[in-house]
């Protein structure tokens, strides 16, 4: 049982039980993106507002497994206050990390580092990444 | 008690507990041999050529059709081979849906698999017909009373599951079909979950269309069956066009073959069809009643212990077909299923391609354990043991 136990690190459980920045706000200028994984029931929406090149609001809403919910909560804390360019770099590094792909190890992932345990559970990669992928959609340049 | 059929299934390995048969059954050696035998010895096309190998392949393919026909007391020309139940149900909706229009009604239910519900939803959108849902009982069952409450003179199609893939409830199809017929509505029954443990007689039922998949009845993937009454099938236009489905093609005229061939365009999955024929032979040897009895015994043994455990909810305690749908209290199903997977217990989690049922139950997702004829008491014991451990594991983590 050692392996699965490693996945459920204290920080992850803490964010699952007490999610930060949960619930979308009715504010102007914010962008939302919903991401679903129908095969397992994960369903997460990320709401972001960028002002003067910085993430000034980052919230999440949805349902899913502990890894999905906790990673959404950690995402919002990681991103708040970051310059958009750095936020994008951070999110991309995180997604590569949980997918067990090469990633920029100089990027400071902070608490999100805890999700590296997901690499040992390929079936849970999607759970750990959908909130972050949704976040990347919310900061995409308008086409 | 030793399971007499277990040795026929080479996929079963020590330390692995397969409880996902409602999604996909394992395959006996005889089916594997039939499939590989076709590829090894023949590997040629059917219906087209006059050399010996082609005739042998054609004979095997048509013998499979006859095996399937006798399983449900149909005639061979009423058996259309398809890619699976999904394909079969889509075929009926595409071909018959054209006869519907505004004001017509299609009766369905919240128990449907997406493959039974979505094709008719598309028909309703395209034609202006409307969908009527049978009100379910408190526990989620389709009843004759519920059906009567939505049946009207406007009902043109009744599309229902025979056994729910989430709840394991058996729909009372005989009286429903009788009433639907008296109103002039056609009936389309999804038998994917019932075909291997419930004797079906299409003549006695008076059903118009019936669909099932090979891969849930010990057969290969990529093959399924649409049964249709001969007269109805020949009234329908084909939905896919190509080789082998026409009698006559010129620049000005085309004549379709009679059913079933008008619906079997192009080269069919010949090996899978032959494998399905072998699966049906296997099912007939064992007997559907014996399979049903075996699954029910295992289910009752498991349920009696499972219900005593604290820390889980079972959503279908009155199931008819040995499907257990449940959640560990406070544990998202995807977390739980990872634990089972690590312990070698293979369950399904999610909404099981039947999201309307999750909606009815008011849950996001669930775990499902399902038995088949090769399941045994060791599987049940292992499942119960891992369930106890899982409850303790997630409780310790504070879920």
């Amino acid at each position: 049982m050692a392996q699965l136990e490693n996945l459920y690190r204290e920080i992850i459980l803490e964010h699952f039980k007490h999610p930060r920045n949960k619930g979308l706000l009715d504010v102007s200028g914010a962008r939302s993106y919903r991401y679903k994984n129908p095969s397992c029931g994960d369903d997460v929406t990320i709401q972001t507002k960028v002002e003067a090149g910085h993430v000034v609001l980052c919230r999440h809403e949805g349902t899913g497994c502990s890894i999905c919910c906790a990673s959404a909560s950690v995402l919002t804390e990681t991103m708040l206050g970051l310059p958009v360019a750095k936020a994008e770099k951070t999110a991309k590094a995180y997604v590569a990390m949980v997918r067990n792909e090469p990633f920029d190890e100089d990027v400071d992932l902070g608490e999100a580092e805890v999700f590296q345990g997901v690499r040992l559970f390929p079936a849970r990669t999607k759970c750990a990444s959908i909130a972050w992928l949704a976040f990347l959609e919310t900061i995409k340049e308008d086409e | 008690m030793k399971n007499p059929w277990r040795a026929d299934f080479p996929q079963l390995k020590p330390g692995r507990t397969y409880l996902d048969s409602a999604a996909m059954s394992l395959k006996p050696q005889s089916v594997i041999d039939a499939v590989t035998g076709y590829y090894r010895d023949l590997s040629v096309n059917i219906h087209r050529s006059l050399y010996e190998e082609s005739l042998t392949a054609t004979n095997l393919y048509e013998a499979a059709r006859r095996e399937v026909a006798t399983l449900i007391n149909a005639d061979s020309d009423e058996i259309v081979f398809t890619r699976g139940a999904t394909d079969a149900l889509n075929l009926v909706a595409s071909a018959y849906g054209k006869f519907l229009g505004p004001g017509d009604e299609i009766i369905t239910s919240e128990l449907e698999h997406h493959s039974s519900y979505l094709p008719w939803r598309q028909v309703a959108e395209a034609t202006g017909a409307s969908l009527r849902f049978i009100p379910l009982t408190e526990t989620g069952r389709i009843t004759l009373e519920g059906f009567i409450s939505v049946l009207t003179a406007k009902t043109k199609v009744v599309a229902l599951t025979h056994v729910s893939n989430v709840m394991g409830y058996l729909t009372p199809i005989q009286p429903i079909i009788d009433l639907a017929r008296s109103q002039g509505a056609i009936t389309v029954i999804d038998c994917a979950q019932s075909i291997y443990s419930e004797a079906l007689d299409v003549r006695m039922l008076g059903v118009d269309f019936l669909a099932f998949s090979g891969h849930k009845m010990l057969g290969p993937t990529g093959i399924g069956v649409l049964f249709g009454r001969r007269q109805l099938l020949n009234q329908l236009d084909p939905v896919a066009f190509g080789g082998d489905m026409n009698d006559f093609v010129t620049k000005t005229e085309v004549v379709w073959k009679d059913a079933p061939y008008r619906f079997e365009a192009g080269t069919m999955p010949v090996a899978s069809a032959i494998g399905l024929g072998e699966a049906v032979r296997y099912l007939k040897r064992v007997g559907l009643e014996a399979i049903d009895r075996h699954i029910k015994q295992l289910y009752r043994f498991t349920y009696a212990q499972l219900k005593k455990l604290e820390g889980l909810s079972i959503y279908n305690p009155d199931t008819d077909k040995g499907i257990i749908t449940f959640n560990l209290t406070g544990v998202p199903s995807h977390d739980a299923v990872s634990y089972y997977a690590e312990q070698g217990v293979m369950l399904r989690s999610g909404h099981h391609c039947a999201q309307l049922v999750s909606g009815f139950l008011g849950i996001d997702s669930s775990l499902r354990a399902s038995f088949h004829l090769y399941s045994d008491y060791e599987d049940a014991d292992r499942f119960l043991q891992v369930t106890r451990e899982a409850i303790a594991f997630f409780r310790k983590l504070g879920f």
Side-chain angles (χ1 to χ4, degrees), chain B residues 345-390:
Chain B
V345 176
M346 296 173 260
L347 302 183
R348 175 81 186 268
S349 76
H351 52 60
H352 320 295
C353 303
Q355 216 168 346
L356 298 180
V357 187
S358 293
F360 174 83
L361 293 170
I363 56 175
D364 299 317
S365 65
S366 56
L367 298 166
R368 181 184 68 185
S370 48
F371 300 109
H372 215 305
L373 88 161
Y374 41 75
S375 311
D376 69 2
Y377 287 97
E378 255 178 62
D379 292 332
D381 284 340
R382 181 75 188 136
F383 167 64
L384 289 161
Q385 183 196 340
V386 173
T387 301
R388 285 185 203 100
E389 288 169 11

Side-chain angles (χ1 to χ4, degrees), chain A residues 1-5 7-8 13 16-17 36-42 63-67 121 123-124 127, chain B residues 330-336 338-340 342-343 348-352 355 364-365 393-394 396-399:
Chain A
M1 247 3 271
Q3 275 205 334
L4 198 58
E5 218 138 22
L7 178 63
Y8 291 113
L13 292 170
F16 171 55
K17 286 176 232 170
K36 293 175 85 166
N37 181 7
S39 70
C40 66
D42 289 343
T63 53
C65 70
S66 61
I67 302 300
F121 298 87
R124 305 301 291 276
C127 314
Chain B
V331 184
S333 70
H334 208 203
D335 285 293
S338 291
Y339 185 92
Y340 283 96
E342 188 157 274
Q343 298 301 315
R348 175 81 186 268
S349 76
H351 52 60
H352 320 295
Q355 216 168 346
D364 299 317
S365 65
F393 175 80
F394 288 105
K396 202 177 107 203
L397 292 177
F399 272 72

Side-chain angles (χ1 to χ4, degrees), chain B residues 8 44 82 88 97 106 110 117 141 188 190 228 234 242 323 352 397:
Chain B
D8 298 335
V44 297
T82 66
I106 301 160
E110 287 158 274
Y117 165 55
R141 279 180 184 276
V188 187
D190 170 9
N234 286 321
I323 289 174
H352 320 295
L397 292 177

Side-chain angles (χ1 to χ4, degrees), chain B residues 105-393:
Chain B
E105 292 182 353
I106 301 160
I107 293 181
T108 185
S109 86
E110 287 158 274
L111 284 189
E112 302 312 304
H113 189 280
H114 291 165
S115 60
S116 171
Y117 165 55
L118 293 180
W120 292 107
R121 190 178 187 278
Q122 292 301 104
V123 166
E125 264 192 23
T127 63
S130 45
L131 289 167
R132 300 288 304 270
F133 287 88
I134 297 176
L136 304 177
T137 65
E138 213 168 289
T139 58
R141 279 180 184 276
I142 295 170
T143 58
L144 184 60
E145 295 69 36
F147 174 70
I148 290 170
S149 75
V150 289
L151 181 69
T152 70
K154 295 181 200 159
T155 307
K156 291 290 180 295
V157 173
V158 177
L160 292 174
T161 181
H162 190 199
V163 168
S164 156
N165 69 313
V166 179
M167 306 301 271
Y169 293 153
L170 196 57
T171 304
I173 52 171
Q174 182 70 76
I176 286 176
I177 291 167
D178 292 344
L179 271 178
R181 288 189 85 176
S182 71
Q183 286 285 1
I186 64 144
T187 47
V188 187
I189 308 295
D190 170 9
C191 292
Q193 295 291 346
S194 61
I195 188 69
Y196 55 87
S197 70
E198 196 69 19
L200 289 163
D201 180 328
V202 294
R203 294 278 167 265
M204 207 160 80
L205 284 169
V207 66
D208 294 304
F209 296 102
L210 188 148
F212 46 93
S213 292
H215 69 264
K216 293 195 201 312
M217 55 192 295
L218 315 181
T221 58
I223 189 78
V225 171
L226 173 69
F227 157 81
R229 281 201 297 114
R230 179 185 297 110
Q231 190 201 351
L232 258 172
L233 279 181
N234 286 321
Q235 281 169 19
L236 300 181
D237 283 331
V239 295
F241 306 88
D244 212 28
M245 45 78 70
N246 41 64
D247 273 333
F248 186 73
V249 179
T250 69
K251 279 199 267 187
T252 53
E253 199 189 350
V254 183
V255 178
W256 311 131
K257 281 186 178 164
D258 281 342
Y261 303 108
R262 66 168 58 187
F263 301 109
E264 296 181 2
T267 293
M268 295 294 287
V270 179
S272 293
I274 292 169
L276 175 60
E278 197 54 46
V280 172
R281 272 175 218 120
Y282 187 97
L283 290 171
K284 286 173 179 170
R285 278 201 299 277
V286 176
L288 302 190
E289 258 180 65
I291 297 171
D292 189 46
R293 208 179 314 122
H294 174 73
I295 292 174
K296 279 179 178 156
Q297 273 170 358
L298 266 182
Y299 166 75
R300 283 195 293 262
F301 171 82
T302 310
Y303 176 70
Q305 297 174 75
L306 195 67
K307 71 173 181 190
K308 286 189 219 151
L309 300 182
E310 277 187 37
L312 57 84
S313 311
I314 303 171
Y315 300 111
N316 57 344
D318 55 343
T319 186
D320 299 313
K321 285 289 175 186
I323 289 174
I324 303 173
T325 298
F326 68 108
N327 268 321
L328 306 185
T329 311
V331 184
S333 70
H334 208 203
D335 285 293
V337 83
S338 291
Y339 185 92
Y340 283 96
E342 188 157 274
Q343 298 301 315
V345 176
M346 296 173 260
L347 302 183
R348 175 81 186 268
S349 76
H351 52 60
H352 320 295
C353 303
Q355 216 168 346
L356 298 180
V357 187
S358 293
F360 174 83
L361 293 170
I363 56 175
D364 299 317
S365 65
S366 56
L367 298 166
R368 181 184 68 185
S370 48
F371 300 109
H372 215 305
L373 88 161
Y374 41 75
S375 311
D376 69 2
Y377 287 97
E378 255 178 62
D379 292 332
D381 284 340
R382 181 75 188 136
F383 167 64
L384 289 161
Q385 183 196 340
V386 173
T387 301
R388 285 185 203 100
E389 288 169 11
I391 292 169
F393 175 80

Side-chain angles (χ1 to χ4, degrees), chain A residues 9-83:
Chain A
R9 300 268 300 277
E10 194 50 45
I11 304 171
I12 294 178
L13 292 170
E14 168 58 23
H15 276 272
F16 171 55
K17 286 176 232 170
H18 307 289
R20 327 287 202 271
N21 304 311
K22 186 154 187 188
L24 306 187
L25 300 180
D26 187 13
V27 290
S28 66
R31 286 169 67 174
S32 299
Y33 192 86
R34 185 176 184 183
Y35 213 122
K36 293 175 85 166
N37 181 7
S39 70
C40 66
D42 289 343
D43 179 352
V44 66
T45 303
I46 300 296
Q47 182 189 39
T48 307
K49 186 173 179 178
V50 174
E51 251 172 26
H54 285 69
V55 176
V56 296
L57 176 96
C58 189
R59 300 191 64 87
H60 67 105
E61 183 56 272
T63 53
C65 70
S66 61
I67 302 300
C68 173
C69 295
S71 77
S73 174
V74 170
L75 164 88
T76 59
E77 287 205 318
T78 308
M79 295 307 173
L80 261 179
L82 286 191

